[in-house]
Amino acid sequence: MKAALTTLGCKVNHYETEAMRELFAQDGWELVDFSDTADVYVVNTCTVTQTSDTKSRQMIARAHRSNPDALVVAVGCYAQTAPETVAALEGVGLVVGTDGRKEIVSRVKEALLAKSGEAYVSPIQEMRTFEPLSAVRDSRTRATLKIQDGCVNFCSYCIIPYARGPLRSRPLDEISGEVALLAAEGYREIVLTGIHLASYGRDFTEKSATLLDAIARASEPDGIKRIRLGSLEPLFVTGATAKALSENPKICRQFHLSLQSGSDTVLKRMNRRYTAEEYLQAVGLLRQYMPDCAVTTDVIAGFPGETEQEHRETLAFCERAAFARMHVFPFSLRKGTKAETLGGQLPRAVKEARAKELLSLGKRLTAQSLRAQIGSVVEVLAESDGAGYSGNYIRVRTDAPEGDIVRIRLEGFDGEMAFGARLD
Ligand code: SF4
């Protein structure tokens, strides 16, 4: 039997698709390209914007067109939030939400057996426990391990709390087990990821644990040389956490703190739980304890009601924070979120013009931050294509064998690719 999988949306979705792919492979399925003819198509949907819903529906339709006899399976966030709508789409034979993907293969087999023309909507789970999908091997040196799911922050523009449900964390012993396995397979770098990583452990009732405990477990095997962290909430960074992170030499000096806006009034309307000043303090603490660290961020341009003055505040804030990289998104209204009820929706042209301005500032700041690295010595984990990443996420050319960690003094850049002299 042939299965084809595709993903829309965020890194976590991509992670989960890879994990499902692995489950099909373990069960002896032949995995083919999504554009090929398959017996089963799995579309891991996204609902973060209206466009994501549309794209999810388009992928489902595409799968059905490729083979009208195939079973089309819709999983993920859009399937979770609108199961009936998704089940009614032509070709859909099985709907699974954001839980229960660990059993995807047996559900597909059940649905194939029961195939009667009507979509089988698998009971959308209550999402009470962490779904232990195995780590995703990104390359032969780096693997991503999801250790947390769910979010209860309810930022006013975000559908994720509705799509992903409450906080669930992967137990510490499971993290240890997965990481030991990856170390034995020769992996050197682990990326710890989650929907709201900083909330790790808040759902544990019997034993308390925090993200720092999870990091400590992931750092234990000798073979694991690096731990990279997914997006963090600014308020996670206190003097104590910044100090603890700096004391772990395996932690990559790259931290992604989502900003979204540099204006307090916009942050408030977004229901973010920090002020611009608090955010800046977090960045300051990271740099105080780890002066070589790179801080990256996300920014939304043109949130409802955003005035020109508030936009200017964000530009000035980003300049002060001196981000190493900025991901910029023009605001996109998501049905069912609080932002839908806010007045002052801005015309698309305004949102795009503001996004463009932020993007060009981001490019300038990236170039500035790379230039500042010339002369510094970085440790690069070599990959198979003649380059690798430093801990602070600079792509550096190296001819070292894949998996080796080499010290390189940076001498310059070709675009965003650094080059330099190897020291050992
Ligand atoms: S913290 Fe806010 S933006 Fe992030 S997933 Fe939760 S609700 Fe969405």
Side-chain angles (χ1 to χ4, degrees):
M1 294 285 273
K2 292 180 182 173
L5 290 86
T6 193
T7 319
L8 293 115
C10 67
K11 275 193 187 158
V12 174
N13 255 20
H14 282 268
Y15 172 93
E16 289 162 349
T17 302
E18 288 316 306
M20 286 189 285
R21 209 186 293 279
E22 185 70 31
L23 293 172
F24 277 102
Q26 280 166 10
D27 197 58
W29 289 63
E30 184 185 343
L31 291 160
V32 297
D33 203 80
F34 200 76
S35 54
D36 290 347
T37 305
D39 303 293
V40 172
Y41 292 92
V42 179
V43 181
N44 198 358
T45 62
C46 171
T47 189
V48 77
T49 63
Q50 312 275 62
T51 315
S52 320
D53 291 357
T54 310
K55 284 191 181 157
S56 300
R57 287 195 295 270
Q58 283 166 347
M59 289 315 268
I60 288 168
R62 186 173 145 192
H64 182 56
R65 270 199 311 276
S66 293
N67 179 7
D69 294 328
L71 174 75
V72 180
V73 186
V75 304
C77 295
Y78 180 43
Q80 175 76 35
T81 49
E84 275 86 26
T85 313
V86 172
L89 295 173
E90 201 178 357
V92 172
L94 173 65
V95 180
V96 180
T98 51
D99 212 352
R101 284 159 301 187
K102 182 126 178 61
E103 295 82 37
I104 187 80
V105 177
S106 53
R107 287 182 183 201
V108 162
K109 286 179 176 168
E110 270 170 32
L112 282 171
L113 277 177
K115 204 163 180 262
S116 62
E118 212 163 276
Y120 170 68
V121 181
S122 95
I124 299 289
Q125 318 265 317
E126 284 192 18
M127 301 190 285
R128 291 277 165 243
T129 53
F130 185 86
E131 190 180 35
L133 294 169
S134 62
V136 169
R137 279 82 175 154
D138 302 317
S139 66
R140 276 181 296 188
T141 56
R142 184 174 56 235
T144 300
L145 184 62
K146 185 175 144 195
I147 61 168
Q148 188 278 333
D149 208 341
C151 178
V152 289
N153 272 20
F154 292 93
C155 298
S156 62
Y157 53 83
C158 184
I159 194 77
I160 282 178
Y162 308 94
R164 292 259 170 192
L167 303 176
R168 283 102 74 209
S169 306
R170 188 164 206 164
L172 289 172
D173 289 346
E174 275 186 29
I175 295 176
S176 294
E178 282 280 341
V179 174
L181 206 67
L182 292 165
E185 287 176 29
Y187 284 87
R188 320 292 309 272
E189 180 175 315
I190 306 291
V191 183
L192 294 179
T193 186
I195 292 290
H196 197 254
L197 201 53
S199 293
Y200 178 89
R202 284 193 202 149
D203 53 312
F204 291 154
T205 44
E206 285 164 19
K207 221 170 157 198
S208 69
T210 68
L211 179 58
L212 293 175
D213 298 302
I215 293 170
R217 290 295 189 100
S219 309
E220 267 167 14
D222 282 346
I224 301 298
K225 302 295 181 201
R226 285 177 169 186
I227 306 292
R228 205 176 280 284
L229 301 178
S231 180
L232 292 175
E233 179 174 281
L235 293 182
F236 171 76
V237 184
T238 60
T241 51
K243 182 166 182 287
L245 292 172
S246 72
E247 286 167 355
N248 181 341
K250 293 187 179 181
I251 292 283
C252 288
R253 276 29 181 171
Q254 178 222 349
F255 301 100
H256 187 87
L257 304 184
S258 283
L259 171 68
Q260 311 305 11
S261 172
S263 152
D264 282 342
T265 37
V266 176
L267 285 172
K268 203 154 190 210
R269 293 203 295 282
M270 288 178 163
N271 198 27
R272 301 290 286 175
R273 292 149 191 239
Y274 50 84
T275 61
E277 199 47 47
E278 284 168 335
Y279 183 102
L280 213 51
Q281 274 165 18
V283 174
L285 284 165
L286 290 172
R287 289 187 176 140
Q288 177 188 330
Y289 284 98
M290 293 163 279
D292 56 339
C293 76
V295 180
T296 58
T297 201
D298 298 321
V299 184
I300 295 175
F303 189 73
E306 184 187 72
T307 61
E308 185 58 30
Q309 166 63 22
E310 287 168 333
H311 170 60
R312 301 270 138 229
E313 283 171 28
T314 297
L315 286 165
F317 183 88
C318 293
E319 184 101 44
R320 270 177 84 196
F323 292 116
R325 196 169 293 273
M326 286 165 56
H327 302 277
V328 178
F329 305 92
F331 173 73
S332 164
L333 182 64
R334 190 62 202 84
K335 265 207 169 130
T337 60
K338 180 143 186 281
E340 205 187 357
T341 63
L342 299 175
Q345 304 288 334
L346 298 180
R348 179 195 274 213
V350 173
K351 293 190 274 190
E352 283 177 358
R354 289 182 185 174
K356 217 167 146 195
E357 225 177 325
L358 282 158
L359 271 172
S360 101
L361 169 64
K363 271 194 185 159
R364 180 160 62 73
L365 293 178
T366 298
Q368 195 173 295
S369 128
L370 291 179
R371 270 201 307 277
Q373 293 291 325
I374 293 178
S376 68
V377 176
V378 292
E379 290 194 342
V380 178
L381 172 55
E383 294 175 14
S384 58
D385 57 353
Y389 281 102
S390 67
N392 55 359
Y393 217 55
I394 298 172
R395 190 94 179 130
V396 185
R397 203 170 286 147
T398 173
D399 55 8
E402 184 178 15
D404 278 13
I405 295 183
V406 288
R407 293 171 72 237
I408 294 180
R409 186 183 301 284
L410 301 182
E411 291 172 346
F413 288 87
D414 275 341
E416 290 188 9
M417 173 75 82
F419 55 86
R422 189 165 157 181
L423 301 183
D424 45 15

